[in-house]
Amino acid sequence: MDFDWLLSEPLPAGVPRQRVLYQRLRAAILSARLPAGTALPASRSLAAALGIARNTVLFAYEQLVAEGCLVADRQGTRVARLPVRAEPRAAARHRTGAALHLSARAATALPPEPVRDAQALPFSPGVPDFGAFPFRAWRACLERTWREVGWRQLGYAAHGGDPRLRAALAGHLGSVRGLAVDAAQIVITSGTQAALDLCARLLADHGDTVWAENPGYLAARVAFGLAGLTVHDVAVDGEGLAPTADDWRAHPPRLVMVTPSHQYPTGRVMSLARRLALIERARLAGAWIVEDDYDSEFRRGGPAPPALFGLQADAPVVYVGTFSKTMYPGLRLGYLVLPQAIAADFARAAVLATRAGQGIEQHALADFIHRGHYTAHLRRMRVRYSSRQAALRDALQRAFGPGLVLSGGEAGLHLVMWLPAGTPDIAVAQQAAQMGLGVRALSAYARPPVSCNGLVLGYGNLDVDAVAGAVARLKQAAERAGAGSDGLLRSPTG
Amino acid sequence: MDFDWLLSEPLPAGVPRQRVLYQRLRAAILSARLPAGTALPASRSLAAALGIARNTVLFAYEQLVAEGCLVADRQGTRVARLPVRAEPRAAARHRTGAALHLSARAATALPPEPVRDAQALPFSPGVPDFGAFPFRAWRACLERTWREVGWRQLGYAAHGGDPRLRAALAGHLGSVRGLAVDAAQIVITSGTQAALDLCARLLADHGDTVWAENPGYLAARVAFGLAGLTVHDVAVDGEGLAPTADDWRAHPPRLVMVTPSHQYPTGRVMSLARRLALIERARLAGAWIVEDDYDSEFRRGGPAPPALFGLQADAPVVYVGTFSKTMYPGLRLGYLVLPQAIAADFARAAVLATRAGQGIEQHALADFIHRGHYTAHLRRMRVRYSSRQAALRDALQRAFGPGLVLSGGEAGLHLVMWLPAGTPDIAVAQQAAQMGLGVRALSAYARPPVSCNGLVLGYGNLDVDAVAGAVARLKQAAERAGAGSDGLLRSPTG
């Protein structure tokens, strides 16, 4: 039998010859090109025939014997009897084809649009000002942690998260958000998405209904869909989530997802009356409210309205917070605040469900909060984001004239600019994307029958000096999308 | 109306008086102690009555008006009409009680045992040697990343993970594990648990059957259960997963979870024949194999057997790897390697499902691999773990005599010490826990009808010098659990 083919094809760069020989022999055995029982030449003869060192052949033979591809005994080295069959590659692919696809829930839960990498472009929503991040203070906390506690923080996280971080957070939420919570009610997560994933699986069962705001936060829908929940859309009005009697009767929820302090994306603030009514109805329906306290940190003009969590004793509310905007998204730390009644069970379940870690970062963040860096940073950023919003409002006013309709300025890092019906937001957003802007179409967040038409303009990472240029480009995009600056704003809707 | 009660209870420490006044007024309004329409005293009179500054009262009134608790007009300040009702707190709690519990799937997927925080005790399984971790090199990579790429790494992770890390990993898996994979086939995850969560949701639907090894890795069962899959236990024998014809016929799987290179917890290595047969059967069944290549990095006595992934072209195999043992668990970085046919779809779905980040750590890890630190560390640790295992074997032999039966030494960070039927492993493990040992009972990983009796002895974090002392304590624990050293090993099973 001829074995020249083993080394006749060009050798891949950077792979030792003995490894190539091993790989090619193995492939030939597993494809039945070398059938079971085939006698291989003695290592010395094969080495001579191929013009290589005997050790190279020995290495390959030994490894293949160890793996069970070859059998070596006194009669020599033979191909082992293995469950392989000779068939063209295409046939094998065909047989597998049926299985090589994602699950049905992946297909339905995921939006059909291509996914763009999150980028920090002008107007990209939800991007904080990276340049203003206190790198020096944060890195000092990280370095102190590595130095002082080092390897003790390298394992999995403690139950519910680092005790110091939970305590620091309980203090912070008490003084800044008015929440009287104990550290034991806090579970550290790797961000909002992980928190929603946990709520979907630990608080609801397959087939349960979850209410999502319409328009609303798309990634929450993905989490709920992948957890097997039925997403029911509930419209949002000027006071926040506005469920009808029919919503309560025909689609009783197990979970109600809301962003009351700054509805995403419309930026509306849920009124106190609406908050109290929602808690009361949720109690009666046996539903959990998942309160994503989105953007409550960056309020303008007065304190944030009280969170649903803690408005009433024993309210069925779970509070979700994140450090993605106040620190940076890549940190991947967030938290859940839970009612006393389920806090211990939830923390125990979360530990098994997620195997959390990031002990170094958790410890450093606790340090960062304790030393006052966190509140100082929030205070600075509140001022900074306010002036960015003011500059953006001015520039938009100058560019688009008196018909301009803006909303969502009470908090957060974005404004909504409403468009008249004749100027489709999708077209403007597409034009803007081509011009390097991260503006999003409001309608992309809505499901029928709700329709809305506007632009979500993030200003978190938009320097005051860059505002005028970005707005000029936005105006160009709107014009190219078929609307003159007059037509654009003649009849605002929403 | 008398308002003395507002400040008659002691003030909580560290909370400004204006905030206390605000909180107590709000609580009174929300509990209907102050019913709708109640006229509040003018700020000046209330301040005088309570003996505090008028500004303190004004602050509270203004905030409550802003929130909608109070209404202010020319007639003065009154309590707003809100959907609250006066009722004893206990009644409200009773009405909510029905909803304040976890989901049914949380209750069934989670084991009933209390969850201990993962600790690095002698014999704790799966704990690497923290002391030998190359802190200096790793911190240098982290610091370089902060210095060089800083804020550009602070956002969400790119599609599938940091491109440099995916490329570095593809190279590493090619040279060390013999996998010919492209960076585009790799998706970075926040560890094995996150990878299994993704597989459960993106590759299988609610009600689908997943095969779990019996005995097997408990946290995988939690991930599958919470994703709504039906877990079917398949027994493991000396060659790894050993499905029967009945398993295939009566419980056809959509997912098959295996740890072929070092079965967890028995430490057995799946034979090549078994690997090929499993792929062949999975193809026919339209099933995905999830290959957790657990512990393949720390082989002793020869190279690791080839991974299922890449054994055959287009095999329905998804490969799971982690940096938890090779770096440290708290890093929370792992990865999936996917067949070409689904890699792009999977990566896109993963981005929406998880919102990954950790850009700094991902970039630093790519650097750590590129500079050769990673393979050097693995090489050092392979030697170190080998000598720890040898020391442990010797000490066990001396302590327990010639009847000792050990398995699982070919790879990884733990040995299994089998016990005779008369010495229940649970009792020994409980005694050992009281003596500060992290040994686990093998039977805790098994489900009926499989029964096994043994101890899982982790040695990853057990210094050679500490082996003798730990084994002496283990022997004491076994004796206290009712077995003399003779009885313990007279009739080994398994």
Side-chain angles (χ1 to χ4, degrees):
Chain A
M1 199 165 190
D2 173 24
F3 285 89
D4 284 355
W5 52 270
L6 275 171
L7 292 183
S8 60
E9 276 179 51
L11 299 186
V15 183
R17 187 171 299 192
Q18 57 187 25
R19 188 138 195 103
V20 175
L21 188 65
Y22 151 77
Q23 283 169 344
R24 291 184 178 173
L25 270 173
R26 198 181 78 179
I29 295 166
L30 296 181
S31 66
R33 175 172 179 170
L34 290 177
T38 305
L40 264 67
S43 56
R44 201 179 300 273
S45 2
L46 184 58
L50 296 174
I52 56 178
R54 187 182 167 212
N55 269 345
T56 307
V57 178
L58 276 178
F59 167 89
Y61 278 17
E62 276 165 17
Q63 185 152 348
L64 290 166
V65 168
E67 287 177 4
C69 285
L70 295 177
V71 178
D73 58 19
R74 278 171 308 170
Q75 275 118 57
T77 306
R78 280 167 298 106
V79 173
R81 193 159 303 280
L82 291 166
V84 296
R85 53 162 125 155
E87 63 181 332
R89 222 180 121 144
R93 190 183 297 127
H94 178 73
R95 281 192 296 125
T96 306
L100 289 178
H101 59 77
L102 300 191
S103 59
R105 62 175 146 191
T108 49
L110 301 170
E113 303 88 52
V115 180
R116 282 182 299 178
D117 277 337
Q119 281 180 293
L121 301 174
F123 299 132
S124 289
V127 181
D129 182 359
F130 291 132
F133 182 71
F135 282 91
R136 191 189 298 263
W138 173 237
R139 284 183 58 188
C141 290
L142 284 170
E143 277 158 30
R144 204 173 298 116
T145 301
W146 277 108
R147 234 174 18 243
E148 288 174 10
V149 294
W151 69 263
R152 280 187 298 279
Q153 293 293 119
L154 296 189
Y156 292 106
H159 219 110
D162 185 285
R164 284 158 296 230
L165 180 56
R166 294 166 91 192
L169 200 45
H172 175 79
L173 289 172
S175 65
V176 168
R177 201 67 185 89
L179 297 181
V181 296
D182 193 80
Q185 290 173 264
I186 294 177
V187 168
I188 306 297
T189 70
S190 62
T192 297
Q193 193 70 7
L196 297 178
D197 266 345
L198 277 176
C199 290
R201 293 178 296 160
L202 300 185
L203 299 179
D205 283 300
H206 184 265
D208 280 353
T209 295
V210 56
W211 283 6
E213 294 171 321
N214 190 12
Y217 181 53
L218 296 176
R221 303 178 66 96
V222 175
F224 298 139
L226 289 179
L229 308 189
T230 302
V231 179
H232 174 67
D233 299 305
V234 174
V236 169
D237 66 16
E239 286 186 74
L241 192 78
T244 63
D246 186 64
D247 288 325
W248 286 109
R249 198 183 54 245
H251 306 278
R254 173 68 181 160
L255 293 186
V256 177
M257 157 85 191
V258 282
T259 52
S261 61
H262 193 233
Q263 201 271 330
Y264 193 79
T266 66
R268 273 136 175 184
V269 180
M270 190 185 284
S271 69
L272 182 64
R274 193 68 67 79
R275 285 169 198 246
L276 291 165
L278 181 61
I279 292 174
E280 182 69 16
R281 292 300 302 261
R283 269 192 217 276
L284 294 172
W288 281 108
I289 298 168
V290 178
E291 175 179 31
D292 182 357
D293 199 23
Y294 181 82
D295 274 352
S296 70
E297 290 89 354
F298 303 120
R299 285 287 301 177
R300 271 162 287 275
L308 287 168
F309 187 96
L311 252 191
Q312 289 189 354
D314 307 306
V317 180
V318 168
Y319 178 100
V320 179
T322 179
F323 292 101
S324 289
K325 309 290 183 294
T326 56
M327 296 287 288
Y328 54 96
L331 178 60
R332 297 290 74 211
L333 285 176
Y335 51 93
L336 282 160
V337 188
L338 304 149
Q340 298 273 11
I342 62 156
D345 281 350
F346 198 102
R348 175 178 160 274
V351 137
L352 291 161
T354 64
R355 309 279 284 165
Q358 300 174 280
I360 295 284
E361 292 77 13
Q362 290 198 38
H363 188 277
L365 183 53
D367 194 25
F368 192 79
I369 296 173
H370 273 307
R371 288 170 186 267
H373 296 309
Y374 188 62
T375 41
H377 175 52
L378 289 182
R379 203 163 41 232
R380 270 195 310 271
M381 297 316 289
R382 202 173 295 120
V383 174
R384 196 177 185 92
Y385 291 140
S386 284
S387 56
R388 287 182 177 198
Q389 189 194 115
L392 177 58
R393 282 178 177 279
D394 283 355
L396 290 171
Q397 200 73 52
R398 276 195 301 274
F400 293 102
L404 183 75
V405 180
L406 296 175
S407 71
E410 290 88 342
L413 304 178
H414 74 265
L415 283 174
V416 171
M417 170 174 159
W418 298 84
L419 296 176
T423 308
D425 55 8
I426 300 279
V428 180
Q430 276 169 354
Q431 274 295 336
Q434 285 173 24
M435 300 169 73
L437 300 176
V439 57
R440 301 268 179 85
L442 189 62
S443 63
Y445 299 89
R447 307 274 151 168
V450 167
S451 70
C452 44
N453 193 33
L455 300 174
V456 179
L457 302 174
Y459 53 81
N461 202 28
L462 188 63
D463 197 84
V464 167
D465 295 340
V467 166
V471 168
R473 271 195 280 170
L474 180 66
K475 192 177 175 189
Q476 267 192 309
E479 284 165 358
R480 286 193 197 167
S485 74
D486 281 6
L488 177 65
L489 293 160
R490 194 163 290 152
S491 55
T493 57
Chain B
M1 199 165 190
D2 172 24
F3 284 90
D4 285 356
W5 51 270
L6 275 170
L7 292 181
S8 60
E9 277 179 51
L11 300 186
V15 183
R17 188 172 298 194
Q18 58 188 24
R19 188 140 195 100
V20 176
L21 189 65
Y22 151 75
Q23 283 169 343
R24 289 184 179 172
L25 271 172
R26 197 180 79 179
I29 294 167
L30 297 181
S31 66
R33 176 171 180 171
L34 289 178
T38 306
L40 264 68
S43 56
R44 201 180 300 272
S45 5
L46 184 59
L50 296 173
I52 57 179
R54 187 181 167 215
N55 269 345
T56 306
V57 179
L58 277 178
F59 168 89
Y61 277 16
E62 276 165 18
Q63 186 151 348
L64 290 165
V65 168
E67 286 177 5
C69 285
L70 294 178
V71 178
D73 57 20
R74 278 172 307 171
Q75 277 119 55
T77 305
R78 280 167 298 106
V79 173
R81 193 158 305 278
L82 291 167
V84 296
R85 53 162 126 155
E87 63 180 332
R89 219 180 123 144
R93 191 182 296 127
H94 179 72
R95 280 191 296 126
T96 306
L100 288 178
H101 59 76
L102 300 191
S103 59
R105 61 175 148 191
T108 48
L110 300 170
E113 304 88 53
V115 179
R116 283 181 299 179
D117 277 338
Q119 280 182 294
L121 301 174
F123 298 132
S124 289
V127 182
D129 182 358
F130 292 131
F133 182 71
F135 283 91
R136 190 188 299 264
W138 173 238
R139 284 184 59 187
C141 290
L142 284 170
E143 278 159 29
R144 203 174 298 116
T145 300
W146 277 109
R147 235 176 14 245
E148 290 174 9
V149 293
W151 70 264
R152 279 187 299 279
Q153 294 293 119
L154 297 189
Y156 292 104
H159 219 111
D162 185 285
R164 283 158 296 231
L165 179 56
R166 295 166 91 192
L169 200 45
H172 175 79
L173 289 172
S175 65
V176 168
R177 200 67 184 90
L179 297 181
V181 297
D182 192 80
Q185 290 174 265
I186 295 177
V187 168
I188 306 298
T189 70
S190 62
T192 296
Q193 193 70 7
L196 297 178
D197 266 346
L198 277 176
C199 290
R201 294 177 296 160
L202 299 186
L203 299 178
D205 283 299
H206 183 264
D208 279 353
T209 295
V210 55
W211 283 6
E213 294 171 321
N214 189 12
Y217 181 53
L218 296 176
R221 303 178 65 96
V222 175
F224 298 139
L226 289 179
L229 308 189
T230 303
V231 180
H232 174 67
D233 299 304
V234 174
V236 168
D237 67 14
E239 286 187 73
L241 192 78
T244 62
D246 187 65
D247 288 325
W248 287 109
R249 200 184 52 245
H251 307 278
R254 173 68 181 161
L255 292 186
V256 177
M257 157 86 189
V258 282
T259 51
S261 61
H262 193 234
Q263 201 272 330
Y264 192 79
T266 65
R268 273 136 176 184
V269 180
M270 190 184 284
S271 69
L272 183 63
R274 192 67 68 80
R275 285 169 197 245
L276 291 165
L278 181 60
I279 291 174
E280 182 69 16
R281 290 302 301 263
R283 269 192 217 275
L284 294 172
W288 281 108
I289 298 169
V290 178
E291 175 178 32
D292 182 358
D293 199 23
Y294 180 82
D295 273 352
S296 70
E297 290 89 355
F298 303 120
R299 286 285 303 174
R300 272 163 286 275
L308 287 168
F309 187 97
L311 251 191
Q312 289 189 354
D314 307 306
V317 179
V318 167
Y319 178 99
V320 180
T322 179
F323 293 100
S324 290
K325 308 290 182 294
T326 56
M327 295 288 288
Y328 55 95
L331 179 59
R332 296 292 73 211
L333 286 175
Y335 51 94
L336 281 159
V337 188
L338 303 149
Q340 298 272 12
I342 62 156
D345 282 349
F346 198 103
R348 177 177 158 272
V351 137
L352 291 161
T354 63
R355 309 278 287 167
Q358 299 174 282
I360 296 285
E361 293 76 14
Q362 290 197 39
H363 188 278
L365 183 53
D367 193 25
F368 192 78
I369 296 173
H370 273 310
R371 288 169 187 268
H373 295 310
Y374 188 62
T375 40
H377 175 52
L378 288 182
R379 203 164 40 233
R380 270 195 310 272
M381 297 315 290
R382 201 174 295 120
V383 174
R384 197 177 185 94
Y385 291 140
S386 284
S387 56
R388 287 182 176 197
Q389 188 193 115
L392 177 58
R393 281 179 177 279
D394 283 356
L396 290 170
Q397 201 72 51
R398 276 195 300 276
F400 294 103
L404 182 75
V405 180
L406 295 175
S407 72
E410 290 88 342
L413 304 178
H414 75 265
L415 282 174
V416 172
M417 172 175 158
W418 297 85
L419 295 175
T423 307
D425 55 9
I426 299 279
V428 180
Q430 276 169 353
Q431 274 294 336
Q434 286 173 22
M435 300 170 73
L437 299 177
V439 56
R440 301 270 179 85
L442 190 61
S443 63
Y445 299 89
R447 307 274 148 166
V450 167
S451 69
C452 44
N453 193 34
L455 300 174
V456 179
L457 302 174
Y459 53 81
N461 203 26
L462 188 63
D463 197 82
V464 166
D465 295 341
V467 165
V471 168
R473 272 194 281 169
L474 179 66
K475 192 177 175 187
Q476 267 192 310
E479 283 165 0
R480 286 193 195 166
S485 75
D486 281 5
L488 177 64
L489 293 160
R490 196 165 288 152
S491 55
T493 57

